[in-house]
Amino acid sequence: MTSLPADERIAGAGLLRRLLIRPELGSVVGAIAVFAFFSSQSPVFRSADGVANWLDPASTLGIMAVAIALLMIGGEFDLSAGVLTGTTGLVMVTLATKYGWNLWAAMLAGLVLALAIGFANGLLVVRTKLPSFIVTLGTFLMLQGLNLGVTKALTGTVQVSGLRRAEGYDGAQALLAGSVTVGGVDFRVAILWWIGVTALATWVLMRSRAGNWIFAVGGNEQAARAVGVPAARTKIALFMTTATAAWLVGSIMALRFTSVQANAGIGQEFIYIIAAVIGGCLLTGGYGSAIGASIGAVIFGMADKGIVFAGWDADWFKFFLGAMLLLATLANRLVRRYAEEVRR
Amino acid sequence: MTPPLLEAREIGKTFGSVIALRGVSMLVRAGEVTCVLGDNGAGKSTLIKILSGVHAQDSGEYLLDGTPVRLGGPREALDRGIATVYQDLAMIPLMSVWRNFFLGSEPVAGPLRRFDVALAKRVAREELRAMGIDIRDVDQPVGTLSGGERQSVAIARAVYFGARVLILDEPTSALGVKQAGVVLRYIARARDRGLGVVFITHNPHHAFPVGDRFLLLNRGTSLGQFDKDAITREELTSLMAGGAELDDLAHELDRHGVAGPAPAEGSAAEKEPVNGDEPPGQGAGGEPALGRRPVED
């Protein structure tokens, strides 16, 4: 393999420039700042127990944020992703407790349903060419109604519970909702799932054909189609990916609490988008990173638990989240300007 | 002699009651540039769309390598080696040069069919260099390239993916003078690599230096196809601007009756180098002169 000599014009400034246009940059700086801040406020925060504590909310959020980041890079939104975590959990618990299904079979049924909903979302967006914001807002509201209506009709209450008695619970619990002990500290096993999802998504984005297509359909769908990129297929697959992630998180949550509320997951959809945006995703698509979205989730987890560790009122959390979002979006806009500037 | 790569014979196309193109003939040989010139509405886009397989002609014959064909679509045209680079370019500004270069035709390797990034970067760099395109860094987003550089990358991509005929839709029209010159140089480079080039433009000053053959269109009909030695830059410009029409316009606008375009440039124009430094529309044709003369004088 011959390597051509580097152009003399990219010497020196190249590294800094390359670093600056990384989509993750803002979130890395933000994460370091937030960690430093809460570490100085509370010694527990920086202890191993503390880390295990704030990595827990970061993990389930991170799995979703990574999937949403892929979708956003592909130029679409999914507002139904949050409520879908509730739907899949409800289906799984209902089938396992009320109808006596084996838990693994119930989980599989949840996956099939999630894939079907993701496919329907994608197909609607691709066929109607309506903004995905509207299409998935529609499915979001429909699922919200279904979750409540069906749960009430079947159980007479707004929750399903008793998963612990289901056949196959112990194995599934260990796999998705258990913990691993590292150096005497219990870490949730969901953290491993999160790391795995992030690694897989990063590989797909950076090192697979599909990754190239995702960037392309989000950057300029017409141009992508003109050079033979299967744009519709790519987008539908992305919606099915977020649905699969919602199923994974819904199953983790259901196994952890052994019950699911009918309103589970509602309101989370924006948190996923916020984490993805803090991680460098552009709202207009075509740019972003899976690692960035994961780091966005870490910031979220640190702030969520850090405020409690520091002994503050949890109300401050929302303020903090809003400020992070604004800062991140402003930083992203600068990056985009820089990347798109045309020198004539 | 080998048959031309691409030939159109008496091609016609109608859209409903509108006759977009009537009896147009042209040919493209390997290693030659055929320029298609015409004003807005002359039928240039319709002709390209027929050549690139987007539309099928209603009358006349379309021949590739001397054999009549009927293309089923742009994909078939591409498979037969006819690549079209449109003015608005199939490029994604936020993606790097190498990602754009291979978009839709990514090389894969290994059991996981991963995108062979190292190969893609190397080939993109080498191909651009072979075309004489001096890109600072193939990792930079296409959005940071100038308009001329983007056109050049699109041309290099078409050449790499096996194009035999390269159709360029107004590649220089949105560019500044220097950038247009850069693109003209790559057109010449593609020609030297043995491709047949169809260069669509409305600027005779861009067409004349690189063209081997000129097809002039006016209102959907052909004003004729001329070899380079059969026409001068002035004749080309005059035909292009509508010849007699322009003379009439000159009469109409100039009460003192100075007839026709000013013949000031004379033969000097023919010797001009292929650098595109001449500002478009400033040469023969006399349009600026007309524009500057106050009518109320």
Side-chain angles (χ1 to χ4, degrees):
Chain A
M1 199 166 118
T2 58
S3 93
L4 292 160
D7 194 301
E8 73 281 3
R9 282 168 300 182
I10 57 166
L15 184 69
L16 179 69
R17 189 174 174 280
R18 205 164 290 183
L19 205 67
L20 276 173
I21 62 168
R22 292 300 312 159
E24 303 91 352
L25 182 80
S27 61
V28 171
V29 172
I32 292 170
V34 172
F35 180 80
F37 177 75
F38 284 114
S39 293
S40 71
Q41 297 293 309
S42 150
V44 189
F45 183 83
R46 58 177 187 264
S47 71
D49 279 320
V51 172
N53 195 301
W54 52 255
L55 277 182
D56 176 29
S59 64
T60 45
L61 169 63
I63 292 170
M64 289 309 296
V66 165
I68 292 290
L70 294 189
L71 182 69
M72 282 177 70
I73 295 169
E76 303 293 346
F77 287 102
D78 189 352
L79 297 183
S80 69
V83 73
L84 191 57
T85 62
T87 307
T88 50
L90 286 168
V91 166
M92 180 175 115
V93 177
T94 305
L95 288 177
T97 58
K98 202 128 181 70
Y99 298 95
W101 284 37
N102 179 294
L103 197 138
W104 294 100
M107 219 158 91
L108 192 67
L111 176 61
V112 171
L113 180 76
L115 287 174
I117 290 170
F119 181 77
N121 271 338
L123 196 69
L124 271 172
V125 167
V126 167
R127 282 286 160 82
T128 62
K129 306 221 186 315
L130 285 171
S132 52
F133 197 88
I134 296 299
V135 170
T136 59
L137 184 62
T139 41
F140 162 63
L141 292 170
M142 284 159 68
L143 286 175
Q144 188 177 354
L146 272 177
N147 284 2
L148 271 166
V150 173
T151 308
K152 267 191 185 163
L154 287 178
T155 66
T157 66
V158 289
Q159 71 160 18
V160 287
S161 53
L163 193 63
R164 202 180 298 277
R165 292 187 303 273
E167 187 188 341
Y169 169 79
D170 291 333
Q173 200 273 345
L175 184 68
L176 292 175
S179 352
V180 282
T181 309
V182 180
V185 181
D186 279 349
F187 287 89
R188 291 278 196 182
V189 76
I191 295 169
L192 293 179
W193 283 97
W194 165 46
I195 292 169
V197 166
T198 307
L200 179 67
T202 301
W203 186 85
V204 167
L205 267 183
M206 307 310 289
R207 288 291 178 272
S208 78
R209 300 189 72 187
N212 220 28
W213 298 345
I214 292 169
F215 281 114
V217 295
N220 182 344
E221 192 176 345
Q222 297 306 320
R225 202 168 278 161
V227 292
V229 171
R233 203 145 48 89
T234 305
K235 288 202 165 176
I236 291 174
L238 284 173
F239 278 104
M240 292 172 80
T241 304
T242 58
T244 306
W247 163 78
L248 181 59
V249 170
S251 301
I252 289 172
M253 291 303 204
L255 285 161
R256 203 179 271 184
F257 302 118
T258 70
S259 69
V260 182
Q261 301 287 326
N263 66 352
I266 292 168
Q268 293 292 302
E269 56 285 331
F270 281 112
I271 310 274
Y272 308 152
I273 293 173
I274 291 166
V277 169
I278 289 175
C281 286
L282 288 178
L283 289 166
T284 42
Y287 192 77
S289 116
I291 293 177
S294 267
I295 298 172
V298 170
I299 292 177
F300 179 93
M302 286 198 292
D304 190 20
K305 298 291 178 187
I307 283 169
V308 179
F309 281 132
W312 298 350
D313 194 324
D315 295 344
W316 285 99
F317 175 65
K318 282 284 161 64
F319 175 86
F320 175 85
L321 202 63
M324 277 303 297
L325 178 67
L326 271 180
L327 279 174
T329 320
L330 284 171
N332 288 350
R333 196 177 60 166
L334 287 177
V335 168
R336 185 197 164 98
R337 282 226 185 107
Y338 180 72
E340 276 201 327
E341 70 165 353
V342 178
R343 288 193 302 263
R344 283 186 190 277
Chain B
M1 191 163 186
T2 52
L5 281 178
L6 181 156
E7 187 176 2
R9 284 185 193 151
E10 299 289 316
I11 290 251
K13 177 78 189 169
T14 56
F15 296 103
S17 60
V18 179
I19 300 165
L21 217 54
R22 188 167 41 192
V24 173
S25 300
M26 67 174 291
L27 62 85
V28 184
R29 290 188 188 282
E32 288 186 3
V33 179
T34 299
C35 298
V36 178
L37 291 123
D39 209 346
N40 296 339
K44 299 193 299 284
S45 347
T46 308
L47 181 63
I48 312 163
K49 282 178 178 161
I50 291 170
L51 297 182
S52 60
V54 176
H55 296 320
Q57 75 275 19
D58 293 328
S59 60
E61 267 190 321
Y62 183 7
L63 298 94
L64 291 177
D65 299 313
T67 323
V69 292
R70 219 174 163 79
L71 298 178
R75 190 74 236 176
E76 192 184 337
L78 212 55
D79 292 343
R80 288 174 180 270
I82 301 166
T84 310
V85 175
Y86 289 102
Q87 198 177 351
D88 50 357
L89 297 179
M91 288 274 187
I92 321 276
L94 283 166
M95 290 171 76
S96 63
V97 171
W98 63 270
R99 279 189 182 272
N100 265 289
F101 195 94
F102 283 98
L103 185 58
S105 313
E106 296 86 355
V108 291
L112 289 170
R113 295 180 54 74
R114 67 182 170 82
F115 184 3
D116 196 339
V117 171
L119 178 79
K121 285 187 186 178
R122 196 180 72 233
V123 171
R125 199 180 298 127
E126 284 170 0
E127 282 302 308
L128 291 172
R129 196 158 290 202
M131 285 287 290
I133 301 166
D134 193 13
I135 295 283
R136 285 170 293 276
D137 175 8
V138 289
D139 271 315
Q140 73 190 97
V142 158
T144 62
L145 302 181
S146 68
E149 285 173 323
R150 284 193 228 187
Q151 285 285 350
S152 311
V153 172
I155 293 171
R157 177 168 70 181
V159 171
Y160 175 73
F161 285 107
R164 297 192 303 142
V165 178
L166 189 58
I167 301 174
L168 303 170
D169 180 17
E170 307 249 5
T172 56
S173 66
L175 301 181
V177 175
K178 273 230 164 59
Q179 291 293 329
V182 170
V183 172
L184 292 180
R185 218 165 276 137
Y186 299 136
I187 292 174
R189 194 93 52 150
R191 173 199 66 199
D192 295 342
R193 287 180 74 160
L195 276 80
V197 180
V198 180
F199 174 24
I200 292 101
T201 179
H202 55 241
N203 191 332
H205 302 289
H206 290 164
F208 197 77
V210 287
D212 294 296
R213 196 170 291 107
F214 305 92
L215 169 70
L216 281 123
L217 295 179
N218 187 36
R219 300 171 70 86
T221 57
S222 172
L223 297 176
Q225 186 176 220
F226 307 93
D227 284 340
K228 187 160 196 168
D229 50 18
I231 194 165
T232 65
R233 187 191 287 242
E234 290 69 47
E235 287 166 340
L236 193 65
T237 309
S238 164
L239 268 173
M240 168 69 205
E245 276 174 50
L246 196 69
D247 288 348
D248 290 347
L249 186 66
H251 277 297
E252 191 185 317
L253 293 180
D254 184 7
R255 289 196 214 149
H256 300 294
V258 177
E265 295 89 331
S267 56
E270 280 163 66
K271 291 188 216 107
E272 264 174 42
V274 187
N275 58 10
D277 272 344
E278 190 174 23
Q282 279 283 8
E287 295 154 47
L290 282 174
R292 259 186 251 115
R293 193 154 302 178
V295 179
E296 66 271 24
D297 181 14

